[in-house]
């Protein structure tokens, strides 16, 4: 490939890539993990809608939530979706 074509391909990829939704990033709400350094195996996960309303929370004891792992984030996103659908049905 010539240099201008290669630059164009790299620029197009850089523009398109952020537009794709990542599966581990929640789309219609968010969650927050509250834990203590003294007790890392205990955490409270709070679930919010996009407007910032608290829609639910869960307490996890005896397990560490490693938020650096995509699998953990996807798992929390599934729980967020469950909380959002339950909240919508009660509302």
């Amino acid at each position: 490939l010539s240099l201008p074509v290669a630059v164009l391909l790299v620029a197009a990829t850089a523009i398109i890539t952020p537009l794709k939704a990542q599966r581990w990033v929640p789309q219609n709400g968010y969650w927050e993990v509250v834990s203590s350094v003294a007790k890392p195996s205990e955490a409270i996960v709070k679930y919010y809608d996009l407007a910032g309303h608290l829609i639910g929370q869960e307490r996890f004891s005896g397990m560490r939530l490693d938020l650096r792992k995509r699998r953990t984030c996807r798992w929390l996103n599934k729980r967020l979706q469950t909380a959002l659908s339950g909240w919508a049905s009660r509302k």
Side-chain angles (χ1 to χ4, degrees), residues 55-81:
I55 59 169
Q57 66 181 20
E58 291 181 287
R59 179 180 299 271
F60 294 98
S61 182
M63 64 185 290
R64 290 181 182 216
L65 297 176
D66 189 358
L67 300 178
R68 295 173 295 179
K69 294 185 178 182
R70 289 182 187 173
R71 179 178 50 188
T72 304
C73 294
R74 284 193 304 259
W75 181 72
L76 287 172
N77 290 341
K78 287 179 186 177
R79 299 188 73 84
L80 171 66
Q81 292 302 320

Side-chain angles (χ1 to χ4, degrees), residues 44-61:
I44 298 174
V45 179
K46 296 181 179 186
Y47 302 105
Y48 298 92
D49 64 358
L50 287 177
H53 300 110
L54 178 66
I55 59 169
Q57 66 181 20
E58 291 181 287
R59 179 180 299 271
F60 294 98
S61 182

Side-chain angles (χ1 to χ4, degrees), residues 1-38:
L1 291 173
S2 66
L3 185 60
V5 173
V7 170
L8 182 62
L9 287 175
V10 170
T13 304
I15 292 170
I16 293 171
T17 303
L19 299 178
K20 289 194 285 184
Q22 302 296 330
R23 291 187 313 190
W24 64 90
V25 177
Q27 296 298 316
N28 52 0
Y30 60 96
W31 41 264
E32 173 185 34
V33 178
V34 180
S35 64
S36 169
V37 174

